[in-house]
Amino acid sequence: MTASRSFRSVRGLHAPERRAVEGLLKRYDLPFRDCPDVTLLVEDAKGHLFGTASLQGENLTMVAVVPGEERSGLVADLVARSVEEARRQGQDRLIWNGDSPFPLTIDLSRRPEGESLASLTAAIVVDLLDRKEKGA
């Protein structure tokens, strides 16, 4: 990720933030799920959105990055930040359902998490690429 991009966590999106998130999600035919506990935003200095993730309790409910950035490391950064945020909220685990009937679960009490974070990141990247291909 370039140094000109920064992360921020928000509780409750303001109208411009919500429009930006909804626009990004539409590019992948992902639904906007209202009322997440925390939304992570990756933006440049001008406020352009490059990626987002949402947490609802112990669930990572959504991750999306601008098309073309799926393999840039931005998804991995969002996953790692989501893990940190879930820990801050006192969660014991982080669950990702995605399109799979079998959710991926990360035990937040254990370290190191390299393999589970890599598996989760890979699953999200595959999901985003698959959605992008279907929408093309």
Side-chain angles (χ1 to χ4, degrees):
M1 187 175 73
T2 64
S4 62
R5 298 181 193 169
S6 61
F7 284 85
R8 68 185 171 104
S9 300
V10 294
R11 293 182 184 278
L13 296 171
H14 296 292
E17 295 166 332
R18 183 180 170 132
R19 282 193 298 275
V21 168
E22 286 175 334
L24 179 55
L25 296 178
K26 266 188 193 171
R27 292 171 147 178
Y28 292 104
D29 196 29
L30 287 165
F32 179 84
R33 292 189 174 98
D34 218 358
C35 302
D37 291 336
V38 175
T39 300
L40 302 169
L41 303 171
V42 183
E43 302 163 311
D44 66 11
K46 294 181 181 179
H48 297 115
L49 186 66
F50 283 86
T52 186
S54 291
L55 291 168
Q56 184 67 42
E58 63 186 17
N59 294 292
L60 179 59
T61 59
M62 178 272 304
V63 177
V65 297
V66 294
E69 293 281 330
E70 296 91 356
R71 292 189 172 117
S72 71
L74 195 52
V75 171
D77 287 341
L78 281 164
V79 169
R81 300 280 178 138
S82 297
V83 166
E84 290 172 19
E85 188 64 43
R87 276 196 180 113
R88 262 195 299 281
Q89 291 179 23
Q91 301 299 330
D92 295 326
R93 60 187 181 167
L94 184 65
I95 301 169
W96 166 259
N97 285 310
D99 282 341
S100 170
F102 307 104
L104 289 168
T105 302
I106 296 176
D107 181 353
L108 299 180
S109 66
R110 293 179 25 180
R111 291 181 193 258
E113 304 152 327
E115 186 176 322
S116 57
L117 286 179
S119 296
L120 177 56
T121 299
I124 293 169
V125 168
V126 166
D127 186 39
L128 290 175
L129 291 171
D130 186 49
R131 287 175 179 275
K132 185 173 148 188
E133 188 174 294
K134 288 177 183 174

